């Protein structure tokens, strides 16, 4: 009987490629294939005859090809099969049947996985029923395009029916899950299912109670907790309840010590001295009160009969009668010598003081000669491009200059405010080095290679190594006692240096710069959040005679009932210190803040690096976020991107984003909106709706995008963005209409109604939302101020002195709506001067000096008494 060495195996026809069947038998005289009960034609067989070397028996091998057409003839009736039949002299033998099937894999899954939002540690089940196919498809799972291996990660389990089980959801399990089916024909992927593992927030433990806010009497103390145990993530619920608790407290008032009465003088001692004492006991100092000031022990020389030495002297010189008055004790001669010496010292000191005063007056006269031309101090004060609102008062605040004055020894260039080209930046000098030959040369300059040189040179010094090298956001100039102004364009940041702030005879090179996030990181703790740009002005350590005013934007609701806002300053070691708590300013401190709706004006007598940091007192506290939409200026593909920026509502951040988008080739597609983002621990969500489904579709897998609360509130990055990728179904589609919504969960929201042509809309970034500031970055002397110097002096001389009917600086503060700062103004040598400084800082671009003149007229100060200055006075 023949037996088969090789029998035919089951085969699959892939596409149109034929399959080959083979069988081998020994010993055999004939061998043929039979398919579906019919003999295959002899011409379709490929027969080979060989000899088995082991047994020397003849071996026959036959091969045939089966095509797709042959199988399709009986498709649906029965399975196509073939088998070998071998003959020999000893009998006949049949091989096993080999089945030939057409392989395929359908496109659509019978069941696809669905996205889920699950809590941490929850079990997740994702279903998958692969498409029908021959042979049956094998299934694997992917997370974010990476194949999952249950052997390497036992947290995953794939069931026999191809479902995926995540035993305990972890944060790292958040992602897009895809079911993949494959066989010898094709590989199919299901739609991705987004699994979002969220964490519900939990409260931390309460902090200890703070110290009582009052030094003496009733006050309040607080304690806080944060929703960080754990922190809510991925849309998890925030903690319920308040994060800050307040409690009334009573602080024991400090008791300052008081002296008791002096004791009686002691008896005269052997050293001719006697003493008396007192104690700090009426009352004794307590609860942090001050100790008594002064001596607790006094001594004095005793003479005459009280001194024992005098008695001995008198006994040794007496001749039977008492000592005559001509015999003076030795101590009397010593006292005379002492008095003579004291008088001599006093005369020497008086002569030295007279010499110092004379030298100072000569130097002062030499410096004042530089500004002897009164036209420098009285002209060029009318603001550009602003018409007087009240012509009848236009003659106020006007001085006729003395054109006969010949003293013009000032070596710089001071130009009228009417000359727009004459605004000059005082630049290009070495830091705090005197100018050559002692001349006060004021350089005209712009931000160019000189500025780059200055910033580079400044950054090499030890304290300034943390300063940014961003020339576009740095301004500097050289200033003397006439003062000036530094401005960083399009940022809302400026530094006003009032007249006389720099001591006469001094020349300072001063800089102003805004720090970027990559340059300096300000540490935040708890509920703290950054409310302003980080601004540096310097150099630190310069001596100022009066405060300068640093103006910068802030991004909170300006309600101090909701906030504890602190001014922070960086010290020489780089650490940040709290130097001021807003609303509790002390006029004796070197810092004072004037808070406006969107701007903070900082009066400071010390230059350095400053920032505003806020801590919310309850969940009603809100930051202002500016929402800005950009898109690609040109789109040649089916995909179209819309970028949504969420940033602090300050001009410097907006400028930074606009510059970045200009580099990316983006364009602004709608007006910016402002959103009040509250301290409620709820995330910010963004979604897009109402697109025409026949032309557009969103490639966003979830219903919305989300920015975590802490990324906005505590993050070091002052702007964040999300991108919506849209797909148009045809390149001819150019009209896009949709609604884009941005809202805080359980809070306020804003929506953008978009309707524009992506091909024809050519609005670039040079729009009305980024007006280029053409003003010089540094202005020195009279050109930096609207009020001329001499007129300013007249106003101060008139209003500083108290007036019985109240027509003094206090009424000026009330008319300018600055009465909240009365105590601060009153603490200054010239309250009017500080008020005018603040007016200059507020109204440099928009102020009208005629309006100020109207206020002066309303106060009752007539121009004939105050503002008319004769030629001789000029």
């Amino acid at each position: 009987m023949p037996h088969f060495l090789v029998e035919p195996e089951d085969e699959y026809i892939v596409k149109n490629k034929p399959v080959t069947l083979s069988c081998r038998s020994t010993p055999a005289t004939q061998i043929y294939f039979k398919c579906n009960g019919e003999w295959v034609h002899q011409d379709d067989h490929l027969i080979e005859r060989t000899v088995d070397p082991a047994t020397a028996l003849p071996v026959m091998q036959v091969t045939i090809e089966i095509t797709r057409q042959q199988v399709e003839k009986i498709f649906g009736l029965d399975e196509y099969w073939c088998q070998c039949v071998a003959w020999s002299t000893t009998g006949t033998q049949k091989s096993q049947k080999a089945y030939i099937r057409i392989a395929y894999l359908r496109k659509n899954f019978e069941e696809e996985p669905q996205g889920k939002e699950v809590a941490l540690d929850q079990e997740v089940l994702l279903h998958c029923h692969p498409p029908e196919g021959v042979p049956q498809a094998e299934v694997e799972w992917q997370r974010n395009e990476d194949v999952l291996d249950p052997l390497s990660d036992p947290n995953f389990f794939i069931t026999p029916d191809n479902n995926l089980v995540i035993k305990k959801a972890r944060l790292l399990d958040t992602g897009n899950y895809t079911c993949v089916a494959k066989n010898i024909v094709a590989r199919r992927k299901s739609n991705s299912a987004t699994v979002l593992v969220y964490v519900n927030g939990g409260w931390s433990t309460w902090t200890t109670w703070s110290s009582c806010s009052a030094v003496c009497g009733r006050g309040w103390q607080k304690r806080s907790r944060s929703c960080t145990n754990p922190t809510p993530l991925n849309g998890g619920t925030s903690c319920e309840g308040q994060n800050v608790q307040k409690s009334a407290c009573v602080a024991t008032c400090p008791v300052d010590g008081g002296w008791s009465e002096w004791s009686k003088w002691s008896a005269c001692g052997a050293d001719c001295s006697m003493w008396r004492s007192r104690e700090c006991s009426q009352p004794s100092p307590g609860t942090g009160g001050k100790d008594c000031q002064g001596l607790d022990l006094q001594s004095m020389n005793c003479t005459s009969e009280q001194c024992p030495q005098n008695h001995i002297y008198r006994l040794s010189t007496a001749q039977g009668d008492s000592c005559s008055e001509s015999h003076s004790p030795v101590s009397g001669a010593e006292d005379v010598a002492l008095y003579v010496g004291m008088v001599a010292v006093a005369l020497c000191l008086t002569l030295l003081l007279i010499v110092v005063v004379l030298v100072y007056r000569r130097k002062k006269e030499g410096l004042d000669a530089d500004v002897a031309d009164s036209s420098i101090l009285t002209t060029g004060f009318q603001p550009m491009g602003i018409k007087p609102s009240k012509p009848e008062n236009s003659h106020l605040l006007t001085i006729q200059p003395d054109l006969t004055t010949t003293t013009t020894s000032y070596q710089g260039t001071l130009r009228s405010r009417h000359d727009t080209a004459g605004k000059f930046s005082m630049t290009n000098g070495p830091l705090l080095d005197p100018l050559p030959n002692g001349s006060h040369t004021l350089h005209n300059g712009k931000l160019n290679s000189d500025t780059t040189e200055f910033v580079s040179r400044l950054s090499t010094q030890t304290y300034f190594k943390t300063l940014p090298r961003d020339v576009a956001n740095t301004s500097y100039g050289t200033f003397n006692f006439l003062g000036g102004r530094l401005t960083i364009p399009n940022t809302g940041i400026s530094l006003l240096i009032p007249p006389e702030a720099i001591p006469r005879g001094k020349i300072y090179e001063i800089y102003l710069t805004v720090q970027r996030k990559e340059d300096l990181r300000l540490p935040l703790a708890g509920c703290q959040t950054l409310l302003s740009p980080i601004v540096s002005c310097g150099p630190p350590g310069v001596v100022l005679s009066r405060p300068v005013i640093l103006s910068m934007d802030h991004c909170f609701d300006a309600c101090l009932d909701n906030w504890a806002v602190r001014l922070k300053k960086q010290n020489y070691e780089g650490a940040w210190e709290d130097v001021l708590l807003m609303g509790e300013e002390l006029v004796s401190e070197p810092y004072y803040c004037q808070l406006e709706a969107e701007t903070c004006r900082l009066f400071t007598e010390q230059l350095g690096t400053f920032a505003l940091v806020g801590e919310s007192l309850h969940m009603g506290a809100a930051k202002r976020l500016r929402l800005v939409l950009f898109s690609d200026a040109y789109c040649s593909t089916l995909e179209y991107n819309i970028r949504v920026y969420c940033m602090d509502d300050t001009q410097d951040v907006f400028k930074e984003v606009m510059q970045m988008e200009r580099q990316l080739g983006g364009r602004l597609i709608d007006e910016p909106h402002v959103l009040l983002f509250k301290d409620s621990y709820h995330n910010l969500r963004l979604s897009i709706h109402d697109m025409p489904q026949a032309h557009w579709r969103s490639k966003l897998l979830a219903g919305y995008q989300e920015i975590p609360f802490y990324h906005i509130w505590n993050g070091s990055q002052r702007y964040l963005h999300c991108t919506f990728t849209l797909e148009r179904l045809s390149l001819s589609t150019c009209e896009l209409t949709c609604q884009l919504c941005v809202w805080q969960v359980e809070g306020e929201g804003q929506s953008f109604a978009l309707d524009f042509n992506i091909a024809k809309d050519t609005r670039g970034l040079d729009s009305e939302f980024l007006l280029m500031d053409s003003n010089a970055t540094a202005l020195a002397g009279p050109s930096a101020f609207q009020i001329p110097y001499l007129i300013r002096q007249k106003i101060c001389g008139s209003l500083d002195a108290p007036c019985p009917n109240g027509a003094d600086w206090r009424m000026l503060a009330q008319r300018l709506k600055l009465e909240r700062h009365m105590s601060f103004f009153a603490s200054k040598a010239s309250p009017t001067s500080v008020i005018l400084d603040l007016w200059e800082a507020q109204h440099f671009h928009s102020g009208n000096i005629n309006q100020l003149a109207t206020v002066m007229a309303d106060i009752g100060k007539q121009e004939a008494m105050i503002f008319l200055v004769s030629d001789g006075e000029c």
Side-chain angles (χ1 to χ4, degrees):
M1 289 284 292
H3 71 278
F4 288 96
L5 302 176
V6 177
E7 296 186 80
E9 301 286 343
D10 294 343
E11 295 289 345
Y12 295 96
I13 295 178
V14 179
K15 298 183 179 179
N16 293 319
K17 186 178 180 180
V19 298
T20 300
L21 298 179
S22 298
C23 64
R24 183 184 296 175
S25 175
T26 183
T29 56
Q30 287 186 350
I31 183 169
Y32 292 100
F33 269 99
K34 179 186 283 188
C35 294
N36 283 71
E38 296 182 359
W39 294 103
V40 178
H41 195 276
Q42 183 176 357
D43 294 340
D44 295 331
H45 290 76
L46 177 62
I47 301 174
E48 295 181 6
R49 300 178 185 273
T50 58
V51 176
D52 188 351
T55 61
L57 295 175
V59 176
M60 290 188 67
Q61 177 173 319
V62 63
T63 303
I64 64 171
E65 282 190 350
I66 305 298
T67 64
R68 185 185 183 97
Q69 290 76 12
Q70 292 174 272
V71 177
E72 285 179 340
K73 285 181 181 179
I74 63 165
F75 184 74
L77 301 176
D78 197 1
E79 287 191 296
Y80 192 92
W81 57 268
C82 295
Q83 67 176 167
C84 276
V85 181
W87 291 271
S88 70
T89 55
T90 57
T92 303
Q93 185 70 28
K94 294 180 179 180
S95 71
Q96 65 181 11
K97 289 182 178 180
Y99 291 91
I100 296 89
R101 302 179 178 90
I102 297 175
Y104 67 93
L105 183 62
R106 302 201 182 280
K107 290 184 177 180
N108 297 325
F109 281 74
E110 297 185 12
E111 184 178 9
E112 292 188 294
Q114 301 298 319
K116 294 184 177 182
E117 293 185 4
V118 296
L120 192 69
D121 296 331
Q122 182 180 335
E123 183 180 271
V124 184
L125 175 62
L126 298 178
H127 293 277
C128 177
H129 194 169
E132 178 187 352
V134 174
Q136 186 176 355
E138 297 177 356
V139 171
E140 68 179 19
W141 283 88
Q142 294 180 351
R143 179 184 64 195
N144 299 332
E145 304 297 331
D146 296 328
V147 177
L148 297 176
D149 184 7
L151 296 178
S152 59
D153 190 347
N155 194 44
F156 295 106
F157 174 69
I158 300 178
T159 64
D161 52 353
N162 302 315
N163 297 328
L164 177 66
V165 177
I166 305 175
K167 298 176 183 178
K168 283 189 175 183
R170 305 161 296 185
L171 287 176
L172 60 87
D173 293 328
T174 296
N176 296 320
Y177 288 80
T178 309
C179 181
V180 181
K182 58 183 179 180
N183 65 7
I184 60 175
V185 179
R187 175 188 176 93
R188 312 288 187 205
K189 279 187 170 185
S190 69
N191 288 327
S192 295
T194 301
V195 174
L196 187 67
V197 181
Y198 61 84
V199 179
N200 293 325
W203 287 114
S204 65
T205 57
W206 289 102
T207 61
T208 57
W209 287 101
S210 66
S211 57
C212 195
S213 61
V215 179
C216 175
R218 288 184 58 82
W220 56 268
Q221 57 185 163
K222 68 176 182 177
R223 64 176 183 172
S224 61
R225 58 180 178 174
S226 58
C227 192
T228 55
N229 188 30
T231 301
L233 292 174
N234 298 332
T237 58
S238 295
C239 305
E240 297 292 336
Q242 295 292 327
N243 65 324
V244 176
Q245 281 186 347
K246 285 188 176 181
S247 175
C249 59
V250 178
T252 305
C253 297
V255 178
D256 294 337
W259 289 113
S260 64
E261 294 293 332
W262 286 103
S263 66
K264 293 182 179 181
W265 286 103
S266 67
C268 192
D271 55 351
C272 286
S273 65
M274 55 185 179
W275 55 270
R276 65 176 180 174
S277 64
R278 58 179 178 175
E279 295 180 351
C280 189
S281 59
Q282 292 185 1
S284 299
T287 323
K290 297 179 181 178
D291 288 331
C292 300
Q293 301 295 317
L295 299 175
D296 60 349
L297 186 67
Q298 275 188 348
S299 64
M300 65 178 294
N301 293 332
C302 48
T303 59
S304 187
E305 291 84 1
Q306 297 179 353
C307 179
Q309 294 182 2
N310 286 347
H311 287 290
I312 298 173
Y313 174 77
R314 290 172 63 190
L315 289 173
S316 63
T317 58
Q319 297 179 356
D321 53 356
S322 59
C323 181
S324 66
E325 292 182 359
S326 61
H327 295 103
S328 301
V330 178
S331 60
E334 293 175 350
D335 289 343
V336 172
L338 176 63
Y339 295 148
V340 171
M342 292 176 61
V343 170
V345 171
L347 289 175
C348 292
L349 291 176
T350 302
L351 291 174
L352 180 61
L353 180 60
I354 292 173
V355 171
V356 170
V357 170
L358 290 175
V359 171
Y360 173 78
R361 292 187 62 182
R362 288 188 179 182
K363 287 187 176 180
K364 183 174 181 297
E365 290 171 359
L367 181 61
D368 289 345
D370 288 345
V371 291
D373 187 355
S374 64
S375 63
I376 294 175
L377 305 178
T378 58
T379 60
F381 57 86
Q382 184 68 29
M384 294 197 50
I386 300 178
K387 296 181 179 180
S389 59
K390 293 189 177 182
E392 66 274 10
N393 294 318
S394 61
H395 61 287
L396 295 178
L397 302 181
T398 303
I399 299 178
Q400 296 298 326
D402 181 10
L403 301 179
T404 63
T405 304
T406 58
T407 306
T408 55
S409 61
Y410 194 78
Q411 299 183 21
T413 303
L414 293 174
R415 303 185 183 180
S416 168
R417 284 286 302 275
H418 298 289
D419 182 6
T420 58
K423 294 184 179 180
F424 50 86
S425 313
M426 305 193 343
T427 59
N428 306 337
L431 184 64
L432 295 178
D433 286 344
L435 296 177
N437 302 324
S439 61
H440 302 162
T441 303
L442 309 181
H443 305 276
N444 289 319
K446 297 182 180 179
L447 289 175
N448 51 20
S449 59
D450 294 335
T451 305
T452 308
E453 236 180 79
F454 169 77
V455 173
S456 210
R457 174 162 50 86
L458 197 62
S459 300
T460 59
Q461 301 188 24
T462 305
Y463 178 74
F464 307 105
K465 287 183 178 177
T466 59
L467 287 180
R469 296 173 180 266
D470 187 359
V471 174
N473 292 294
T474 300
S475 175
Y476 77 100
T478 308
F479 303 93
N480 62 6
F481 77 96
L482 290 175
R485 185 189 307 263
L486 290 175
T487 304
I488 302 178
N490 303 309
T491 63
I493 298 170
S494 65
L495 181 69
L496 180 77
I497 306 166
E500 306 294 344
I502 297 175
R504 290 180 178 250
K506 298 287 186 181
I507 297 178
Y508 294 155
E509 192 169 47
I510 296 177
Y511 65 84
L512 176 68
T513 185
V514 56
Q515 303 277 359
R516 295 301 184 200
K517 61 181 185 304
E518 63 269 14
D519 300 322
L520 188 65
R521 184 185 177 94
L522 190 148
L524 301 174
C527 303
Q528 291 182 340
T529 183
L530 185 62
L531 299 178
S532 75
I534 302 175
V535 179
S536 295
C537 57
V542 298
V543 177
L544 298 174
S545 304
R546 51 182 301 185
V548 297
I549 301 178
L550 176 63
S551 300
M552 56 185 174
D553 288 353
H554 66 76
C555 62
F556 70 107
D557 54 17
C559 179
L560 294 180
D561 293 336
N562 299 334
W563 292 89
V565 180
R566 289 177 171 82
L567 176 70
K568 287 185 174 284
K569 180 176 183 289
Q570 192 178 32
N571 61 23
Y572 287 95
E573 289 75 26
W576 288 91
E577 300 173 342
D578 294 341
V579 295
L580 177 68
L581 176 61
M582 279 202 182
E584 299 184 12
E585 298 94 341
L586 298 176
V587 296
S588 59
E589 297 295 326
Y591 309 100
Y592 190 86
C593 277
Q594 146 79 358
L595 185 64
E596 300 169 9
E598 297 180 356
T599 307
C600 173
R601 316 277 180 190
L602 172 63
F603 292 82
T604 175
E605 298 174 12
Q606 299 175 7
L607 303 185
T609 300
F610 300 95
L612 292 181
V613 172
E615 183 175 1
S616 61
L617 299 180
H618 53 76
M619 290 189 290
K623 285 182 69 172
R624 295 193 318 273
L625 297 183
R626 187 179 299 193
L627 309 175
V628 190
L629 272 59
F630 293 93
S631 65
D632 300 326
Y634 304 99
C635 180
S636 58
T637 64
L638 294 176
E639 287 189 353
Y640 189 72
N641 295 319
I642 296 178
R643 295 180 291 279
V644 185
Y645 287 85
C646 306
M647 67 186 78
D648 290 351
D649 186 24
T650 57
Q651 295 181 56
D652 67 299
V653 183
F654 186 46
K655 175 184 177 181
E656 183 178 356
V657 171
M658 295 289 278
Q659 289 174 339
M660 181 177 63
E661 278 292 331
R662 181 179 285 108
Q663 294 174 357
L664 295 175
R667 65 173 176 178
L668 197 65
I669 59 175
D670 203 348
E671 295 185 9
H673 291 188
V674 174
L675 172 73
L676 290 179
F677 187 77
K678 292 189 175 182
D679 182 19
S680 62
Y681 300 106
H682 289 302
N683 298 340
L684 192 69
R685 289 185 177 175
L686 305 93
S687 61
I688 194 163
H689 309 276
D690 303 335
M691 283 190 304
Q693 300 297 324
H695 304 289
W696 293 87
R697 73 179 183 91
S698 172
K699 301 190 74 174
L700 182 66
L701 299 177
Y704 56 84
Q705 298 191 62
E706 196 164 64
I707 301 177
F709 170 83
Y710 282 98
H711 287 187
I712 298 174
W713 199 264
N714 299 98
S716 60
Q717 195 152 347
R718 300 189 64 205
Y719 63 86
L720 301 164
H721 85 276
C722 291
T723 300
F724 288 92
T725 301
L726 310 180
E727 186 177 31
R728 47 181 174 168
L729 304 183
S730 169
L731 286 174
S732 61
T733 301
C734 295
E735 295 292 336
L736 174 60
T737 58
C738 62
Q739 189 158 2
L740 197 149
C741 300
V742 184
W743 76 100
Q744 187 178 16
V745 179
E746 299 184 12
E748 184 179 322
Q750 290 283 2
S751 62
F752 296 82
L754 304 181
D755 184 1
F756 63 99
N757 188 303
I758 68 173
K760 295 181 181 178
D761 195 331
T762 57
R763 286 176 296 172
L765 293 186
D766 293 328
S767 66
E768 58 181 312
F769 306 113
L770 186 59
L771 296 174
M772 298 308 295
D773 192 346
S774 59
N775 292 317
T777 59
L779 296 173
S783 64
F785 305 98
Q786 297 207 50
I787 306 173
Y789 182 78
L790 290 183
I791 293 179
R792 175 193 179 94
Q793 296 293 81
K794 288 288 184 180
I795 295 175
C796 294
S798 174
L799 298 184
D800 277 344
C803 187
N805 61 359
D808 52 24
W809 65 267
R810 292 169 295 179
M811 185 174 292
L812 177 63
Q814 291 172 354
R815 295 298 173 88
L816 297 179
K817 296 180 172 53
L818 301 173
E819 59 271 14
R820 190 176 77 84
H821 310 290
M822 287 290 195
S823 58
F824 173 68
F825 298 144
S827 68
K828 301 303 177 184
S830 174
T832 310
S833 181
V834 180
I835 295 173
L836 296 179
D837 292 343
L838 183 55
W839 186 88
E840 290 277 7
Q842 292 174 322
H843 299 93
F844 179 60
H845 294 294
S846 60
N848 189 337
I849 198 168
N850 291 289
Q851 295 174 355
L852 182 61
T854 302
V855 171
M856 295 297 299
D858 292 342
I859 293 176
K861 300 293 183 179
Q862 299 301 320
E863 63 272 17
M865 293 185 293
I866 303 174
F867 304 116
L868 293 182
V869 182
S870 67
D871 290 346
E873 290 174 318
C874 288

